[in-house]
Amino acid sequence: MDRQAAVTTPVLPNEVRADVETLWRYHDMHHKLRPCDVGIGLGSHDLGVAVVATQLFHAGLFPWIVFTGANAPTTIERFPQGEAVHYREYAVEHGVPAASVLVEPQATNTAENLEYSRTLLAEREIPVRSVLIMSRPYQQRRAYATCRLMWPEVEVVCASNPLELDDYVSSIGDPRRVVDMLVGDTQRIEVYAERGFAIPQEMPDEVREAFDRLVAAGYTSRLI
């Protein structure tokens, strides 16, 4: 049984592991978690966003959760009612009071996630001076850069479900998908800053070189 499990467990190819780990570390903002006025869970294919939002709510880090997200081609099958709706269902099923969870079901990208969440909170007259943004692990840096541009008056803390890289790959079940998404988000750090969608972020040479090697190896499905 153990031998069969070892064979079927999805793993990263050894030849790209070092480069994937480099990108993985780069996107983790390593923020120290602290209480914020609201938690915002960014929709995606990853239920781990709802998991960490639920855990941090119970830990007392925020009194409100906004789940934001419609659907994308990568999520429609898993979350047919919409990403935010399914995230809310998870949170309520795991003890978060329904009245403490707001749903924004229209956003289809990170900028919309933040813009629409901000509008929803303003409509509810919930004052916001600080936000704890929860996302996929490799979306942290892009979420931070986007929020700093679009919502500069709030303090931003980023968090994700605290899994190691191999555990995250196992939870998603598709190593290529994870690497493709990592590569795509790395490209977006610079492209979105150039297009005025986010503030610029430093990209160390080792990150750029790892990105180039992974693109050359064919991990390109999420490139713009």
Side-chain angles (χ1 to χ4, degrees):
M1 180 65 69
D2 289 344
R3 182 177 300 140
Q4 182 179 2
V7 171
T8 58
T9 299
V11 295
L12 291 168
N14 288 332
E15 61 270 20
V16 301
R17 172 175 291 278
D19 288 335
V20 174
E21 289 176 343
T22 295
L23 299 192
W24 180 262
R25 290 191 300 269
Y26 173 68
H27 288 283
D28 187 340
M29 297 299 292
H30 301 286
H31 283 169
K32 183 177 181 179
L33 300 186
R34 59 177 179 78
C36 292
D37 293 322
V38 64
I40 299 178
L42 305 184
S44 72
H45 63 273
D46 182 2
L47 188 62
V49 176
V51 173
V52 70
T54 299
Q55 292 172 345
L56 296 183
F57 178 89
H58 288 309
L61 289 187
F62 37 77
W64 299 93
I65 304 174
V66 178
F67 287 125
T68 167
N71 269 126
T74 56
T75 65
I76 185 67
E77 183 174 343
R78 185 174 192 189
F79 301 133
Q81 298 179 68
E83 299 152 4
V85 172
H86 284 275
Y87 282 8
R88 180 186 185 278
E89 288 177 350
Y90 176 92
V92 172
E93 287 171 0
H94 289 80
V96 178
S100 298
V101 185
L102 306 180
V103 170
E104 185 295 294
Q106 303 299 322
T108 59
N109 58 55
T110 305
E112 290 181 353
N113 288 143
L114 295 168
E115 177 186 356
Y116 298 168
S117 295
R118 182 180 186 176
T119 299
L120 177 60
L121 289 161
E123 290 172 349
R124 297 296 184 96
E125 298 183 342
I126 297 172
V128 181
R129 297 172 302 277
S130 57
V131 296
L132 203 163
I133 298 178
M134 293 154 289
S135 68
R136 297 162 293 178
Y138 50 83
Q139 192 184 5
Q140 278 193 35
R141 185 172 292 276
R142 181 159 62 88
Y144 173 81
T146 305
C147 190
R148 292 297 299 127
L149 179 75
M150 298 186 59
W151 208 348
E153 66 272 25
V154 301
E155 298 180 18
V156 185
V157 180
C158 293
S160 299
N161 200 18
L163 297 177
E164 297 295 332
L165 174 58
D166 286 332
D167 293 332
Y168 185 77
V169 170
S170 294
S171 74
I172 299 301
D174 186 345
R176 172 164 284 276
R177 182 180 192 180
V178 172
V179 180
D180 279 340
M181 299 291 275
L182 264 168
V183 170
D185 263 57
T186 304
Q187 182 199 37
R188 283 163 174 76
I189 294 298
E190 291 190 328
V191 171
Y192 283 6
E194 291 168 357
R195 295 182 180 181
F197 301 156
I199 66 168
Q201 296 281 284
E202 180 182 0
M203 185 174 294
D205 289 342
E206 68 171 1
V207 174
R208 194 179 307 279
E209 292 164 1
F211 168 81
D212 288 341
R213 284 191 292 267
L214 289 168
V215 170
Y219 292 95
T220 59
S221 74
R222 291 291 296 170
L223 293 181
I224 298 172

